Amino acid sequence: MDIPSNNTTPRGFLLQGFFEFPHLRPLLFLVLLAVHLATLSGNLLILVAVISVPSRPPMLLFLCQLSAIELCYTLVVVPRSLADLSMPGHGRGSPISFLGCAVQMQMFVALGGAECFLLAAMAYDRYVAICHPLRYASIVTPGLCARLALACCLGGLAVSVGLTVAVFHLPFCGSRLLVHFFCDITALLHLACTRSYVDELPLLGACLVLLLLPSMLILTSYGAIASALRRLHGGGGRRKAASTCASHLAVTFLHYGCATFMYVRPKSSYSPRLDRTLALVYTNVTPLLYPLIYSLRNREITSAIHRVLGFRGSGSV
């Protein structure tokens, strides 16, 4: 049952998860477990494959960081969800402490934000590779890659801490039942007592920094790339250059599409059960698709994976 409280700081929350579907929970557990193990295996394989490459080009370093982020991203949400699904029942939800909820939300936002910045850095890498190929090695150095990787992580961390502090300073009175399987921002805002648009400002600010700013950088990079491709006379060179961007564009559309649909909208349009279903997709399916997209489209990754698995052959696509 919902537990009312007159305090502005509750003792904790209840994650409803999928407790209202007792007959579907065993099947959902098996499906999520299979997807989770496949996601862990795919991202770990890319990490090992990149590490095994003697001379790693910058794009492989970025892919390594992307796989590490996805690995941590799924570990923040899925193990807890699997544990809740395996339990016989907790009434209407699984209890999570106030601090535990805050930490989970902060880590989720930090990793998602770091990925937003990383995708912008990868777009810049593609811009230099296509528009300034002769200067690529002197511009995109391992030192620059390390600085960009650190900046992505610190940027995501800074925004996540500010957003978490703002959200958890809101008054949570009355029901503390989150119709979700993890402490997502929209679910927490929906649970807050206030009905003012002021409490949505931190989320709006985070979206501006994590979504709008990197997306503008990505659009600028690809605008320059498109202009450079139009100037190429050979169709083969144009196709080869465009092919190097295909994987990054696919991952970018997936990540930004899900994040924009979930978080760039007013609180009044929030639908708890619909958002919970969509969150199930972007926390489980999209992290599984990323290694598949890159392993199928990137010849260097494919070759490295073949070496790790002991296959003979070039691994070209």
Side-chain angles (χ1 to χ4, degrees), residues 54-307:
S55 178
R56 290 180 286 274
M59 179 51 82
L60 288 191
L61 296 176
F62 288 132
L63 288 181
C64 186
Q65 186 184 5
L66 181 65
S67 291
I69 290 174
E70 288 300 322
L71 199 63
C72 298
Y73 185 80
T74 189
L75 289 173
V76 167
V77 174
V78 180
R80 164 84 196 215
S81 303
L82 290 173
D84 290 343
L85 285 170
S86 66
M87 295 298 177
H90 292 288
R92 291 192 64 190
S94 172
I96 184 171
S97 68
F98 186 79
L99 178 61
C101 190
V103 170
Q104 186 184 52
M105 187 194 118
Q106 186 272 323
M107 293 180 66
F108 182 80
V109 175
L111 291 166
E115 184 169 337
C116 289
F117 291 130
L118 180 61
L119 290 172
M122 294 170 75
Y124 173 73
D125 172 82
R126 293 298 84 200
Y127 158 73
V128 178
I130 294 174
C131 298
H132 305 283
L134 299 180
R135 300 173 55 200
Y136 178 78
S138 62
I139 296 176
V140 187
T141 62
L144 177 64
C145 292
R147 290 191 295 272
L148 287 175
L150 180 61
C152 292
C153 293
L154 292 179
L157 179 63
V159 175
S160 69
V161 169
L163 181 59
T164 303
V165 170
V167 169
F168 281 86
H169 268 81
L170 296 173
F172 295 101
C173 52
S175 172
R176 60 189 182 101
L177 180 68
L178 289 172
V179 185
H180 219 301
F181 56 92
F182 73 100
C183 291
D184 199 11
I185 311 163
T186 52
L188 288 162
L189 288 177
H190 184 71
L191 205 61
C193 295
T194 60
R195 289 296 177 262
S196 169
Y197 285 103
V198 175
D199 59 323
E200 297 184 48
L201 292 179
L203 177 58
L204 177 61
C207 289
L208 289 175
V209 175
L210 297 181
L211 297 178
L212 183 60
L213 178 60
S215 64
M216 292 302 294
L217 295 174
I218 292 172
L219 289 174
T220 301
S221 296
Y222 276 104
I225 289 173
S227 178
L229 291 181
R230 282 199 302 268
R231 292 195 298 267
L232 288 178
H233 298 293
R238 187 181 292 112
R239 284 192 299 271
K240 182 178 179 181
S243 177
T244 64
C245 303
S247 300
H248 176 261
L249 281 173
V251 171
T252 299
F253 281 130
L254 277 173
H255 183 74
Y256 279 90
C258 291
T260 301
F261 183 80
M262 288 298 299
Y263 301 113
V264 185
R265 55 189 171 132
K267 192 170 83 170
S268 58
S269 66
Y270 174 68
S271 174
R273 286 173 175 78
L274 175 61
D275 280 36
R276 180 183 58 183
T277 303
L278 294 174
L280 192 66
V281 174
Y282 76 74
T283 58
N284 291 273
V285 178
T286 54
L288 174 64
L289 293 178
Y290 292 171
L292 291 175
I293 291 171
Y294 273 111
S295 62
L296 290 174
R297 297 291 305 179
N298 191 294
R299 185 172 58 186
E300 292 170 320
I301 282 289
T302 306
S303 300
I305 290 175
H306 281 204
R307 283 195 297 271

